[in-house]
């Protein structure tokens, strides 16, 4: 079954999902942040078929999140390293982990982010770099950007009307 492509959509979330929306891709990136770089390391960590791992790694390289670097000529072997674009995905993974721990860790927290100096668990929040305020509904809303199409502008305007209606 061919999945739908989001590449042509004028939405940063859709375009991001086009690059990392397949769940194996996110788990490969997770493992890359844990220091895994080689095909056999990813294969050992993840219950993924060889052909699927090859496709996902190739897609991550094509999307510019990882780069392939040859580490052995005989036999030819490559390692996969995070690019700057890939490293910038870290806050997304941290937010996903925190959300998963908060809502889906019925048996308890299996993995968490901790302070390097104290060892205490972190409670990650998304904040605005400019103001330092937490990104929440009270302080921030979605808005059409300067390059937004008419369709995007209509969707954002509709969402704003719905928000105003809810808030009275």
């Amino acid at each position: 079954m061919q999945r739908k492509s989001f590449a042509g959509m004028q939405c940063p979330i859709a375009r991001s999902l086009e690059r990392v929306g397949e769940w194996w891709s996110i788990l490969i990136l997770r493992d890359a942040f844990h220091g895994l770089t080689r095909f056999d390391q990813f294969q050992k960590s993840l219950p993924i078929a060889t052909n699927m791992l090859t496709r996902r790694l190739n897609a991550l390289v094509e999307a510019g999140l990882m780069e392939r670097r040859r580490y052995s000529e005989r036999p030819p072997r490559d390692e996969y390293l995070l690019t700057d674009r890939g490293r910038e995905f870290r806050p997304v993974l941290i937010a996903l982990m925190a959300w998963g721990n908060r809502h889906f860790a019925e048996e308890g927290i299996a993995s968490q982010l901790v302070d390097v100096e104290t060892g205490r668990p972190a409670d990650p929040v998304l904040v605005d770099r400019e103001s330092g305020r937490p990104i929440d509904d009270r302080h921030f809303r979605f808005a059409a950007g300067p390059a937004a199409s008419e369709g995007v502008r209509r969707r954002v305007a509709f969402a704003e009307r719905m928000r105003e209606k809810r808030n009275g």
Side-chain angles (χ1 to χ4, degrees):
M1 176 185 223
Q2 188 74 15
R3 73 174 180 89
K4 177 160 178 61
S5 173
F6 297 135
M9 294 179 71
Q10 197 186 37
C11 170
I13 295 170
R15 289 178 178 174
S16 297
L17 286 172
E18 181 70 21
R19 278 52 174 214
V20 297
E22 202 278 333
W23 58 67
W24 288 120
S25 297
I26 294 174
L27 294 177
I28 291 167
L29 290 169
R30 175 205 63 191
D31 284 356
F33 278 105
H34 289 305
L36 279 64
T37 60
R38 297 183 178 179
F39 189 92
D40 61 320
Q41 294 172 331
F42 291 115
Q43 195 171 34
K44 186 175 181 182
S45 174
L46 299 167
I48 185 173
T50 302
N51 62 337
M52 180 60 73
L53 179 56
T54 299
R55 282 199 302 268
R56 292 292 93 218
L57 285 167
N58 286 339
L60 289 166
V61 168
E62 188 177 312
L65 289 129
M66 298 185 92
E67 65 179 325
R68 186 180 292 111
R69 187 170 67 194
R70 180 75 26 116
Y71 71 87
S72 173
E73 290 299 331
R74 292 193 178 187
R77 297 279 188 256
D78 297 323
E79 62 183 348
Y80 298 86
L81 305 168
L82 291 164
T83 62
D84 288 341
R85 181 182 289 181
R87 284 187 291 278
E88 287 182 15
F89 191 72
R90 189 171 190 264
V92 178
L93 280 178
I94 290 169
L96 194 58
M97 180 184 64
W99 182 71
N101 279 339
R102 199 168 10 266
H103 297 288
F104 305 112
E106 294 85 11
E107 73 286 351
I109 294 174
S111 177
Q112 62 186 348
L113 188 67
V114 298
D115 185 295
V116 172
E117 292 178 15
T118 67
R120 294 180 60 186
D123 184 16
V125 294
L126 188 61
V127 298
D128 174 49
R129 184 185 311 270
E130 187 74 22
S131 68
R133 291 185 301 182
I135 303 291
D136 59 24
D137 290 346
R138 200 173 105 222
H139 296 103
F140 296 91
R141 63 179 173 79
F142 292 99
S149 67
E150 188 55 38
V152 170
R153 291 181 188 284
R154 280 194 306 270
R155 187 176 69 244
V156 170
F158 176 76
E160 181 62 19
R161 285 193 304 275
M162 294 296 103
R163 187 179 76 78
E164 288 171 359
K165 193 180 219 181
R166 270 191 325 273
N167 295 336

